[in-house]
Amino acid sequence: MSSNRQRVEVVPVALGRKLWFPDPESPSIVGAPRGLIALGGDFSVKRLLLAYRMGIFPWSVDPITWWSPETRGIFELESFHVPRSLAKTLRKGVFKVTVNQAFRAVMEGCAARSTTWITKEFLAGYTRLHEEGHAHSVECWQDGELAGGIYGVSAGGLFAGESMFHRVSDASKVALYHLVQRLRERRYELFDIQMLTPVTQQLGAVEIPRSEYLRRLAQAVEKERRFEA
């Protein structure tokens, strides 16, 4: 079937100093490639928090790019799957698990790979979020050394997992397991992981449409939850 409709090229919005983002469900954004919605802005605490509350996250610098993908990876907190090998590691208690004891070191561990979006600008911006109580980490230690961990952003009943890493087998999975338990205990409603990976799929992560994610997000961010309570 042919069509005479012309293809319209969608140009992402250029952000200035004004603190705002375009609506991820506006017609122009829905047509954007892969969910790229805006360019520019900064990594201020206020802008980052506004982004997460709107279902948007940054993914590069020079310029900063802001995204709201058509599908979103999440963990349903009550459906987290623990494979036998991970259950065995958990039973052995081979790692000491802590919370918010080495936030920047966890970010640096996540950045220490051949390709990464976690630049010095990301490190600085998310460290400020952490210092103001909005970003958190779970760490795994072995023999006094950081073996792995995970970090992310908390906003109301949303926790947005950003990245995880390991230097010892299963360390990142153990950190993720303990993060899920913490979110359950504190009655978080939405655990966003942005996109699926083979590891997160193995542990039960699923994809949902952007429209459903934004609907659930709007409800979650209105809740009062304390990650460290």
Side-chain angles (χ1 to χ4, degrees):
M1 181 182 295
S2 62
S3 173
N4 292 325
R5 181 180 298 174
Q6 291 183 338
R7 181 179 179 84
V8 178
E9 182 178 355
V10 178
V11 179
V13 171
L15 301 176
R17 293 184 178 182
K18 182 181 177 182
L19 186 61
W20 78 288
F21 286 100
D23 180 357
E25 288 193 293
S26 67
S28 61
I29 298 306
V30 169
R34 297 179 294 147
L36 174 61
I37 67 168
L39 303 171
D42 54 46
F43 282 126
S44 68
V45 168
K46 288 184 178 180
R47 191 180 295 275
L48 285 168
L49 287 178
L50 176 62
Y52 282 97
R53 286 180 169 274
M54 291 182 64
I56 299 165
F57 59 87
W59 204 5
S60 69
V61 296
D62 197 25
I64 302 172
T65 58
W66 301 91
W67 301 77
S68 182
E70 294 178 358
T71 58
R72 199 66 160 244
I74 66 166
F75 274 110
E76 301 288 7
L77 289 171
E78 300 305 320
S79 302
F80 185 79
H81 173 63
V82 181
R84 289 183 180 179
S85 59
L86 177 57
K88 184 177 180 181
T89 300
L90 290 165
R91 285 195 302 271
K92 287 183 176 180
V94 298
F95 300 111
K96 176 183 177 182
V97 180
T98 60
V99 174
N100 286 337
Q101 296 302 301
F103 180 86
R104 190 177 179 93
V106 169
M107 280 199 73
E108 290 170 344
C110 293
R113 55 191 67 170
S114 57
T115 58
T116 181
W117 72 93
I118 305 172
T119 62
K120 62 182 182 181
E121 292 87 356
F122 273 81
L123 280 165
Y126 284 78
T127 297
R128 287 191 295 269
L129 272 180
H130 171 66
E131 291 169 348
E132 296 197 19
H134 305 295
H136 307 280
S137 59
V138 177
E139 306 92 12
C140 284
W141 306 84
Q142 191 173 73
D143 300 326
E145 300 291 332
L146 186 62
I150 185 170
Y151 78 95
V153 176
S154 177
L158 162 75
F159 191 89
E162 284 295 305
S163 189
M164 61 185 186
F165 84 102
H166 70 276
R167 295 179 182 135
V168 179
S169 180
D170 274 351
S172 59
K173 293 178 184 178
V174 170
L176 176 59
Y177 169 83
H178 281 276
L179 172 59
V180 168
Q181 302 314 305
R182 194 174 192 85
L183 298 179
R184 285 176 175 172
E185 291 167 1
R186 285 151 180 78
R187 298 184 296 113
Y188 275 72
E189 297 193 358
L190 186 58
F191 183 10
D192 168 27
I193 58 170
Q194 298 174 0
M195 58 194 66
L196 301 190
T197 68
V199 170
T200 56
Q201 282 186 290
Q202 178 192 30
L203 298 173
V206 296
E207 284 186 333
I208 60 175
R210 175 168 50 199
S211 57
E212 180 181 347
Y213 174 81
L214 294 175
R215 178 185 60 79
R216 292 176 60 174
L217 174 69
Q219 297 174 349
V221 297
E222 292 303 315
K223 301 297 191 296
E224 292 187 11
R225 302 289 185 265
R226 290 182 59 84
F227 186 86
E228 294 189 279

mmCIF file of all heavy atoms in Angstrom, residues 29-46:
data_model
loop_
_atom_site.group_PDB
_atom_site.id
_atom_site.type_symbol
_atom_site.label_atom_id
_atom_site.label_comp_id
_atom_site.label_asym_id
_atom_site.label_seq_id
_atom_site.Cartn_x
_atom_site.Cartn_y
_atom_site.Cartn_z
ATOM 1 N N ILE A 29 6.819 14.521 20.088
ATOM 2 C CA ILE A 29 7.730 13.628 20.786
ATOM 3 C C ILE A 29 7.433 12.183 20.436
ATOM 4 O O ILE A 29 8.342 11.369 20.250
ATOM 5 C CB ILE A 29 7.627 13.839 22.309
ATOM 6 C CG1 ILE A 29 8.024 15.264 22.672
ATOM 7 C CG2 ILE A 29 8.503 12.841 23.052
ATOM 8 C CD1 ILE A 29 9.382 15.685 22.159
ATOM 9 N N VAL A 30 6.166 11.834 20.350
ATOM 10 C CA VAL A 30 5.796 10.462 20.018
ATOM 11 C C VAL A 30 6.419 10.037 18.688
ATOM 12 O O VAL A 30 6.787 8.891 18.480
ATOM 13 C CB VAL A 30 4.261 10.310 19.990
ATOM 14 C CG1 VAL A 30 3.854 8.971 19.392
ATOM 15 C CG2 VAL A 30 3.703 10.454 21.402
ATOM 16 N N GLY A 31 6.603 10.986 17.776
ATOM 17 C CA GLY A 31 7.194 10.657 16.494
ATOM 18 C C GLY A 31 8.707 10.730 16.448
ATOM 19 O O GLY A 31 9.310 10.452 15.417
ATOM 20 N N ALA A 32 9.332 11.101 17.552
ATOM 21 C CA ALA A 32 10.785 11.281 17.559
ATOM 22 C C ALA A 32 11.504 9.939 17.505
ATOM 23 O O ALA A 32 11.023 8.945 18.035
ATOM 24 C CB ALA A 32 11.211 12.051 18.803
ATOM 25 N N PRO A 33 12.673 9.893 16.854
ATOM 26 C CA PRO A 33 13.406 8.630 16.740
ATOM 27 C C PRO A 33 13.892 8.142 18.091
ATOM 28 O O PRO A 33 14.593 8.854 18.813
ATOM 29 C CB PRO A 33 14.580 8.999 15.814
ATOM 30 C CG PRO A 33 14.752 10.475 15.976
ATOM 31 C CD PRO A 33 13.371 11.009 16.197
ATOM 32 N N ARG A 34 13.466 6.932 18.460
ATOM 33 C CA ARG A 34 13.936 6.245 19.664
ATOM 34 C C ARG A 34 13.673 6.987 20.963
ATOM 35 O O ARG A 34 14.168 6.617 22.004
ATOM 36 C CB ARG A 34 15.438 5.937 19.553
ATOM 37 C CG ARG A 34 15.772 4.990 18.399
ATOM 38 C CD ARG A 34 17.266 4.749 18.344
ATOM 39 N NE ARG A 34 17.981 5.964 18.002
ATOM 40 C CZ ARG A 34 19.195 6.268 18.454
ATOM 41 N NH1 ARG A 34 19.810 5.462 19.290
ATOM 42 N NH2 ARG A 34 19.786 7.385 18.074
ATOM 43 N N GLY A 35 12.906 8.060 20.916
ATOM 44 C CA GLY A 35 12.559 8.750 22.141
ATOM 45 C C GLY A 35 13.465 9.892 22.523
ATOM 46 O O GLY A 35 13.408 10.376 23.654
ATOM 47 N N LEU A 36 14.303 10.381 21.604
ATOM 48 C CA LEU A 36 15.111 11.565 21.873
ATOM 49 C C LEU A 36 14.196 12.784 21.832
ATOM 50 O O LEU A 36 13.589 13.080 20.806
ATOM 51 C CB LEU A 36 16.214 11.702 20.826
ATOM 52 C CG LEU A 36 17.064 12.981 20.887
ATOM 53 C CD1 LEU A 36 17.791 13.085 22.209
ATOM 54 C CD2 LEU A 36 18.050 13.003 19.722
ATOM 55 N N ILE A 37 14.104 13.522 22.957
ATOM 56 C CA ILE A 37 13.120 14.596 23.012
ATOM 57 C C ILE A 37 13.719 15.986 23.162
ATOM 58 O O ILE A 37 13.041 16.970 22.887
ATOM 59 C CB ILE A 37 12.094 14.364 24.141
ATOM 60 C CG1 ILE A 37 12.754 14.479 25.511
ATOM 61 C CG2 ILE A 37 11.415 13.010 23.985
ATOM 62 C CD1 ILE A 37 11.747 14.536 26.638
ATOM 63 N N ALA A 38 14.959 16.093 23.646
ATOM 64 C CA ALA A 38 15.508 17.427 23.865
ATOM 65 C C ALA A 38 17.029 17.390 23.898
ATOM 66 O O ALA A 38 17.640 16.344 24.163
ATOM 67 C CB ALA A 38 14.990 18.022 25.171
ATOM 68 N N LEU A 39 17.627 18.556 23.625
ATOM 69 C CA LEU A 39 19.078 18.724 23.654
ATOM 70 C C LEU A 39 19.413 19.932 24.536
ATOM 71 O O LEU A 39 18.679 20.914 24.569
ATOM 72 C CB LEU A 39 19.623 18.977 22.252
ATOM 73 C CG LEU A 39 19.336 17.949 21.172
ATOM 74 C CD1 LEU A 39 19.779 18.490 19.813
ATOM 75 C CD2 LEU A 39 20.055 16.641 21.465
ATOM 76 N N GLY A 40 20.552 19.852 25.218
ATOM 77 C CA GLY A 40 21.021 21.013 25.969
ATOM 78 C C GLY A 40 20.601 20.981 27.421
ATOM 79 O O GLY A 40 20.347 19.925 28.002
ATOM 80 N N GLY A 41 20.538 22.161 28.033
ATOM 81 C CA GLY A 41 20.230 22.235 29.453
ATOM 82 C C GLY A 41 21.465 22.001 30.298
ATOM 83 O O GLY A 41 22.587 22.295 29.882
ATOM 84 N N ASP A 42 21.263 21.438 31.472
ATOM 85 C CA ASP A 42 22.382 21.249 32.399
ATOM 86 C C ASP A 42 22.089 20.059 33.310
ATOM 87 O O ASP A 42 21.050 19.418 33.195
ATOM 88 C CB ASP A 42 22.611 22.511 33.233
ATOM 89 C CG ASP A 42 21.342 22.970 33.948
ATOM 90 O OD1 ASP A 42 20.650 22.123 34.547
ATOM 91 O OD2 ASP A 42 21.029 24.180 33.892
ATOM 92 N N PHE A 43 23.036 19.779 34.206
ATOM 93 C CA PHE A 43 22.889 18.689 35.168
ATOM 94 C C PHE A 43 22.612 19.225 36.572
ATOM 95 O O PHE A 43 23.071 18.645 37.560
ATOM 96 C CB PHE A 43 24.150 17.814 35.184
ATOM 97 C CG PHE A 43 24.250 16.855 34.043
ATOM 98 C CD1 PHE A 43 25.369 16.831 33.235
ATOM 99 C CD2 PHE A 43 23.236 15.965 33.775
ATOM 100 C CE1 PHE A 43 25.480 15.942 32.188
ATOM 101 C CE2 PHE A 43 23.325 15.064 32.726
ATOM 102 C CZ PHE A 43 24.446 15.059 31.927
ATOM 103 N N SER A 44 21.880 20.303 36.678
ATOM 104 C CA SER A 44 21.521 20.815 37.996
ATOM 105 C C SER A 44 20.587 19.828 38.686
ATOM 106 O O SER A 44 19.885 19.039 38.044
ATOM 107 C CB SER A 44 20.837 22.176 37.876
ATOM 108 O OG SER A 44 19.570 22.038 37.261
ATOM 109 N N VAL A 45 20.577 19.880 40.010
ATOM 110 C CA VAL A 45 19.706 18.988 40.774
ATOM 111 C C VAL A 45 18.245 19.193 40.386
ATOM 112 O O VAL A 45 17.500 18.234 40.164
ATOM 113 C CB VAL A 45 19.913 19.219 42.289
ATOM 114 C CG1 VAL A 45 18.819 18.510 43.095
ATOM 115 C CG2 VAL A 45 21.292 18.722 42.716
ATOM 116 N N LYS A 46 17.815 20.443 40.274
ATOM 117 C CA LYS A 46 16.416 20.721 39.941
ATOM 118 C C LYS A 46 16.042 20.175 38.571
ATOM 119 O O LYS A 46 14.963 19.614 38.387
ATOM 120 C CB LYS A 46 16.151 22.220 40.007
ATOM 121 C CG LYS A 46 16.122 22.785 41.420
ATOM 122 C CD LYS A 46 15.761 24.261 41.415
ATOM 123 C CE LYS A 46 15.674 24.806 42.826
ATOM 124 N NZ LYS A 46 15.313 26.247 42.846
#
